Amino acid sequence: MKRFSERSRYEKRHLMAFSYALWVVGGEVRGPVELTDGVWERLPGTVGEPVLWLVRAEAFRAVVARLADDVLDGAEKERAAALRVAGDRDTYLAGHVGLRLLLSAYLGVPPADVPLTRLPCPLCGQPHGRPVVRDSPVHFSLSHSGGLCLLAFARASVGVDIEVVPALEVADDVGGALHPQETAELGRVRAEHRPAYFARVWARKEAYLKGLGVGLGRSMALDYLGAGPEEAAQVPGWTIGDVAVDDGYAAAVALQAEDAVPGAAGHADPGRE
């Protein structure tokens, strides 16, 4: 029994050190911890430093089959059932089951009892703003694309985004919606590299806007974060960085400073009033 408890303490310390070390520091690209079956049972019952997790829908299929009916609420089940593409449905279920299991571990409550709600939208005041845990200091963000789910947990507002690198036609068509400097940067990149550059800057933008709680309700042209592989341009009060995930994907995370003014809506753009 003593040997088992010592091993458990070692595994918990190892998981804490491993996961907490994976935050973006000074623009350095880091990778998330992959969520595998049972890992949540060995987590510390709190969120200290920010933590990033990756859920692979295919690898998480057995967990979803075993636990989804018990841990998801009615709205989540309805949303999953409405997804007609099997791959999209599997990815949604993997992300939301993973989210509830991790929040359960951090909060010390059963997964089905995690009190999820949404803040009012900062733009219109309607209840479709950033998702939060009611009456809890734990902040989180979830994004999924192409069979991968990225999750972040922190003690301040946080946003993540993960994107499949699109076709060149998509990058060229949508790239014009970005900040003018970012659009110009994409135009200087060779065609074969442009989709990856586009996915990088789009992930940075969505992570930041999700952290603000406005999502795509705020124009992608307002904030300059940069499309290149160098460190993302920083927004006052926020740390924004790329996250290392599988080839063919781009991902990013944005974390608000704990002493930043709540509800900040953005920053002045270089060269714009």
Side-chain angles (χ1 to χ4, degrees):
M1 191 70 179
K2 181 180 178 183
R3 240 188 250 173
F4 176 82
S5 61
E6 287 176 350
R7 181 183 176 190
S8 297
R9 286 196 297 271
Y10 170 79
E11 288 176 343
K12 183 175 288 189
R13 287 197 303 270
H14 176 71
L15 279 165
M16 291 173 65
F18 183 42
S19 58
Y20 290 177
L22 296 173
W23 190 246
V24 178
V25 178
E28 183 179 353
V29 178
R30 302 290 181 91
V33 181
E34 183 172 350
L35 183 62
T36 56
D37 197 346
V39 165
W40 55 87
E41 297 173 353
R42 304 193 298 273
L43 290 177
T46 184
V47 172
E49 298 300 317
V51 188
L52 291 167
W53 293 91
L54 185 73
V55 181
R56 300 180 188 277
E58 182 62 35
F60 216 59
R61 187 183 299 274
V63 175
V64 169
R66 189 173 77 243
L67 298 177
D69 283 346
D70 293 329
V71 306
L72 298 182
D73 65 20
E76 289 167 317
K77 292 174 185 177
E78 288 180 9
R79 178 69 184 275
L83 296 171
R84 299 305 178 193
V85 178
D88 293 343
R89 186 166 56 251
D90 291 345
T91 304
Y92 176 90
L93 288 169
H96 282 258
V97 169
L99 172 67
R100 283 190 171 272
L101 291 171
L102 289 169
L103 285 173
S104 171
Y106 293 135
L107 299 172
V109 300
D113 294 339
V114 174
L116 296 178
T117 187
R118 282 186 176 271
L119 296 175
C121 171
L123 298 179
C124 68
Q126 295 301 307
H128 55 240
R130 189 164 51 83
V132 295
V133 181
R134 188 172 58 250
D135 301 324
S136 170
V138 177
H139 296 257
F140 69 89
S141 183
L142 164 65
S143 178
H144 45 75
S145 181
L148 296 185
C149 310
L150 184 64
L151 301 96
F153 301 86
R155 298 185 65 83
S157 297
V158 64
V160 291
D161 190 57
I162 186 167
E163 300 285 339
V164 174
V165 175
L168 176 62
E169 293 77 14
V170 174
D172 286 345
D173 183 47
V174 184
L178 298 169
H179 189 281
Q181 288 183 230
E182 294 162 346
T183 300
E185 290 170 2
L186 291 175
R188 293 191 292 269
V189 177
R190 292 172 58 179
E192 60 265 36
H193 301 307
R194 201 175 303 141
Y197 274 60
F198 168 80
R200 178 190 298 120
V201 66
W202 191 270
R204 290 171 177 176
K205 286 292 182 74
E206 279 224 45
Y208 171 53
L209 297 183
K210 287 170 72 175
L212 287 177
V214 298
L216 296 179
R218 178 178 172 87
S219 171
M220 286 285 198
L222 289 178
D223 308 291
Y224 174 76
L225 298 181
E230 63 276 359
E231 178 182 351
Q234 296 301 301
V235 178
W238 290 81
T239 297
I240 302 168
D242 303 314
V243 178
V245 289
D246 295 9
D247 290 343
Y249 293 80
V253 60
L255 177 70
Q256 189 177 35
E258 292 192 34
D259 59 353
V261 177
H267 70 292
D269 302 321
R272 306 187 76 185
E273 296 295 330

